[in-house]
Amino acid sequence: MPDHTMDVLIDHATISRRISDMARAIEADLESEVPILVGILKGSIHFLSDLGRHLRIDAEMDFMQAKSYVGTESTGNVRILKDLDVDIAGRHVILVEDIIDTGVTISHLVAHLSIRSPKSLRVASLLSKPDARKVQIEADYLGFSIPNEFVVGYGLDFDERYRNLPYIAIYRRSSD
Ligand code: 5GP
Ligand code: MG
C-alpha cells in the first residue's frame, strides 16, 4: 500500500487558460508601464514563467524568498531569506505567489515592500484557500480558489518533491 494518494485537482490545460486570463487582466491595469514581476521562491516558478510568457507587454522579473513559522499563535513570523535586487520606488510591482493559505506570508511581504514607495503593489496568486485565512488579505489577481487541502505540483512541494508536476494534485496521507 502506498503511504499517500495524489489526485489531480486542476489539470495543465485549465491552469494555462486561467493564467492567460490573468495576464489580460494585468495588462488592462498597467497603463502601458513596465511592471516588475516579483516571484516568491520557490513555489511560484512555473506560475511566474507562464504568466510572463502570456503577458503581451514588457515586464521585468526579480525574486524574493521568505520563510514563515506559524506556531500556536494566530499569526506566525516571516523571515526574508532573499530580498529584491532592484529598486521598486515609483514602479508597478506585482508579487507573484503560488498560494495564499493563512495569508501570513503574503501580508508580511506586502508590508515589507510597501514602505519602499512603489507606484503600485499588487498580488497575483495562482491558488487561494479562503477557509484557511488568519490574516485578511486577498489576491488582486487570483487563479483558483481551492478547498482547505494540501496540494502539490506546479511549483508546490511536499518535502521539496513534486514541484515539477505540470498539474495541481491533492496530496493525502493514507490512513493506516
Ligand atoms: P501562508 O503564509 O499564506 O499560510 O502560506 C504561504 C505558504 O505556505 C505558501 O507560499 C506555500 O509555500 C505554503 N503552503 C500553503 N498551503 C500549501 C499547500 O497546500 N501545499 C503546499 N505545497 N504548500 C502550501
Ligand atoms: Mg511559497
Side-chain angles (χ1 to χ4, degrees):
M1 267 276 287
D3 67 350
H4 69 272
T5 59
M6 278 171 42
D7 299 302
V8 177
L9 179 66
I10 312 172
D11 64 36
H12 188 227
T14 306
I15 295 170
S16 285
R17 277 197 302 273
R18 187 74 193 114
I19 294 178
S20 170
D21 293 344
M22 295 171 82
R24 297 293 83 74
I26 289 171
E27 290 163 6
D29 287 346
L30 277 175
E31 310 154 358
S32 72
E33 283 186 56
V34 178
I36 306 173
L37 306 178
V38 175
I40 312 305
L41 295 169
K42 303 173 187 170
S44 70
I45 46 166
H46 295 303
F47 178 39
L48 175 74
S49 120
D50 282 352
L51 187 63
R53 276 179 287 204
H54 277 291
L55 281 175
R56 297 171 185 154
I57 53 172
D58 290 339
E60 296 176 21
M61 291 184 186
D62 201 353
F63 296 92
M64 291 185 77
Q65 188 163 18
K67 202 170 181 63
S68 62
Y69 301 94
V70 183
T72 48
E73 319 231 335
S74 61
T75 59
N77 288 312
V78 179
R79 194 155 59 90
I80 308 285
L81 302 180
K82 190 220 171 290
D83 209 328
L84 294 176
D85 295 330
V86 298
D87 181 10
I88 60 168
R91 302 292 306 276
H92 287 298
V93 176
I94 301 173
L95 281 172
V96 180
E97 177 63 301
D98 52 359
I99 187 165
I100 304 178
D101 183 24
T102 63
V104 168
T105 306
I106 199 69
S107 58
H108 183 91
L109 293 175
V110 167
H112 181 80
L113 295 184
S114 58
I115 55 177
R116 297 182 192 171
S117 312
K119 187 167 186 181
S120 69
L121 180 56
R122 297 190 179 98
V123 174
S125 186
L126 181 63
L127 304 174
S128 171
K129 292 191 223 173
D131 296 342
R133 210 69 94 242
K134 290 178 178 163
V135 178
Q136 272 322 304
I137 184 161
E138 301 305 330
D140 299 281
Y141 309 100
L142 176 63
F144 305 91
S145 282
I146 63 167
N148 200 0
E149 299 255 18
F150 192 81
V151 290
V152 296
Y154 217 79
L156 292 135
D157 71 309
F158 176 78
D159 274 354
E160 295 300 326
R161 279 174 74 169
Y162 312 118
R163 291 192 197 277
N164 58 305
L165 294 176
Y167 52 84
I168 306 273
I170 294 179
Y171 183 102
R172 288 196 191 96
R173 283 192 173 283
S174 310
S175 46
D176 41 340

